[in-house]
């Protein structure tokens, strides 16, 4: 390699560059959770997740009539008052509001990692766990794959638009793990810098338990 190439690589491979990359990763994951979470409060986004929820063995119970979703599917930008009424009665929107709230909380916690190690680590753990649920939709949701409507390309490995949206969570899974590692390292570094404060925190958390055990012992 030439000296210029080595110089450029050296400029890139610095601790500062790594910190910038981790911060950018944190912000990008937060944007995904915040933006998509906010969209859950809009009917078209709530409608679009109906096949995933209705077919999920761990989520379908949130809907009153998960088995009837196919007759009421709408396309993005399409307004069908009768189907909207069915979705309302099905608790489609109520569930979407709850899911959107959870996603936005995760997004804010991940973003808070820019200023708080503890909050950032909590958000990173939640961001890491979320894709395990989302990626399961590739197994449980028929609409994740191109339907057999005449074309030769259908089923596995031909992802539909919904399936391609789900697949993006592999990136969030990897990014979430890197944020967890970064948070763990920051926590350990923080404890190493302030061991007395950490011991005081542990003592404060243990003291009420010890006092409770003493009171129980006195009653005996």
């Amino acid at each position: 390699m030439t000296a210029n190439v080595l110089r450029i690589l050296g400029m890139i491979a610095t601790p500062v560059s790594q910190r910038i990359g981790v911060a950018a990763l944190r912000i990008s994951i937060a944007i995904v959770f915040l933006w998509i979470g906010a969209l859950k409060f809009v009917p078209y986004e709530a409608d679009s997740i109906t096949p995933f929820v209705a077919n999920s063995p761990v989520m379908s119970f949130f809907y009153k009539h998960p088995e009837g979703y196919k007759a009421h599917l709408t396309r993005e930008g399409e307004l069908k008052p009768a189907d909207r009424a069915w979705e309302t009665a099905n608790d489609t929107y109520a569930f979407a509001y709850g899911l959107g709230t959870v996603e936005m909380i995760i997004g804010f916690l991940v973003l808070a990692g820019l200023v708080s190690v503890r909050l950032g680590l909590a958000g990173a753990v939640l961001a890491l766990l979320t894709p395990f649920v989302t990626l399961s939709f590739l197994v449980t949701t028929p609409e994740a794959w191109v339907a057999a409507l005449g074309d030769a390309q259908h089923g596995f490995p031909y992802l539909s638009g919904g399936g391609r949206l789900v697949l993006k969570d592999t990136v969030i899974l990897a990014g979430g793990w890197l944020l967890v590692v970064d948070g763990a390292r920051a926590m350990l570094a923080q404890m190493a810098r302030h061991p007395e404060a950490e011991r005081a925190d542990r003592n404060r958390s243990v003291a009420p338990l010890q006092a409770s055990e003493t009171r129980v012992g006195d009653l005996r």
Side-chain angles (χ1 to χ4, degrees):
M1 291 188 181
T2 66
N4 288 334
V5 172
L6 291 174
R7 189 179 300 109
I8 292 172
L9 292 176
M11 292 171 61
I12 294 173
T14 64
V16 173
S17 294
Q18 184 173 0
R19 288 197 295 272
I20 292 173
V22 171
L25 175 64
R26 184 179 300 281
I27 293 170
S28 63
I29 289 178
I31 288 174
V32 171
F33 276 100
L34 290 171
W35 199 329
I36 295 181
L39 289 179
K40 293 294 190 299
F41 292 86
V42 182
Y44 90 91
E45 171 66 12
D47 293 346
S48 71
I49 66 172
T50 303
F52 300 112
V53 179
N55 286 288
S56 172
V58 297
M59 286 186 174
S60 60
F61 69 90
F62 285 109
Y63 287 169
K64 289 184 178 179
H65 307 288
E67 72 287 346
Y69 78 94
K70 288 186 178 181
H72 303 278
L73 291 177
T74 58
R75 293 176 295 177
E76 294 177 357
E78 187 175 39
L79 176 60
K80 292 183 177 180
D83 289 328
R84 285 277 171 86
W86 183 88
E87 296 284 12
T88 300
N90 186 48
D91 286 342
T92 298
Y93 302 131
F95 171 76
Y97 298 158
L99 180 60
T101 300
V102 171
E103 289 177 339
M104 291 182 71
I105 289 173
I106 294 174
F108 280 122
L109 286 173
V110 170
L111 194 61
L114 294 172
V115 294
S116 170
V117 173
R118 293 176 186 271
L119 292 178
L121 181 57
V125 171
L126 293 173
L128 173 66
L129 295 177
T130 300
F132 286 103
V133 177
T134 309
L135 291 171
S136 71
F137 295 152
L138 293 178
V139 178
T140 61
T141 310
E143 287 83 357
W145 307 96
V146 175
L149 301 176
D151 197 351
Q153 287 75 39
H154 60 82
F156 181 86
Y158 304 106
L159 291 165
S160 66
R164 295 194 294 273
L165 180 66
V166 169
L167 193 64
K168 63 126 177 47
D169 271 47
T170 56
V171 179
I172 293 181
L173 180 65
W177 174 247
L178 290 178
L179 292 185
V180 168
V181 172
D182 181 72
R185 286 177 174 173
M187 284 282 289
L188 290 173
Q190 197 175 69
M191 292 168 63
R193 288 194 301 269
H194 307 288
E196 297 82 3
E198 290 296 329
R199 280 196 296 269
D201 287 341
R202 286 196 296 270
N203 291 336
R204 279 195 294 270
S205 63
V206 171
L209 180 60
Q210 291 176 334
S212 176
E213 293 175 345
T214 301
R215 286 195 295 272
V216 171
D218 292 342
L219 290 173
R220 293 176 183 170

